[in-house]
Amino acid sequence: MATRFALSRLCITRSMDSTRGATRYFSDGKGRVLSEEERAAENVYIQERERLEKLKQKAEKEKAEKEKESAEKKTEGSHKD
């Protein structure tokens, strides 16, 4: 229900903006109002930060797997003696 309301409100806001040529503004949750450009820049920054975090986690996971494999090889080598 809330989703339906938000979607209808968004459509109405977009149609009103296109008819009067106004800029839409968003709140950043701190009482400050962001313009569309600021909001877009913030979204790009957030997406980039999330992408870098995923890459960092992937690198850490791969490093842990390599360390585990090398530890297993050392263990196997000591059993052969």
Side-chain angles (χ1 to χ4, degrees):
M1 178 118 182
T3 306
R4 216 180 279 164
F5 173 73
L7 287 174
S8 64
R9 185 174 175 194
L10 179 63
C11 293
I12 292 169
T13 304
R14 283 188 177 169
S15 65
M16 287 173 34
D17 285 343
S18 63
T19 59
R20 66 178 180 214
T23 302
R24 289 178 32 218
Y25 293 95
F26 303 91
S27 172
D28 66 352
K30 298 177 184 173
R32 218 179 120 231
V33 176
L34 304 175
S35 70
E36 285 185 64
E37 292 83 11
E38 289 174 316
R39 182 70 174 198
E42 183 179 356
N43 287 340
V44 169
Y45 171 78
I46 291 169
Q47 290 171 351
E48 182 67 15
R49 191 175 64 199
E50 289 173 349
R51 186 183 69 82
L52 291 173
E53 183 65 28
K54 286 180 184 179
L55 286 173
K56 180 181 174 184
Q57 290 175 351
K58 182 179 178 183
E60 289 174 354
K61 183 179 177 182
E62 289 174 357
K63 182 180 177 184
E65 288 174 359
K66 285 182 181 180
E67 289 175 355
K68 183 179 176 182
E69 288 175 7
S70 65
E72 289 175 356
K73 287 181 182 178
K74 287 181 183 178
T75 305
E76 288 175 7
S78 65
H79 289 299
K80 290 182 180 179
D81 290 333

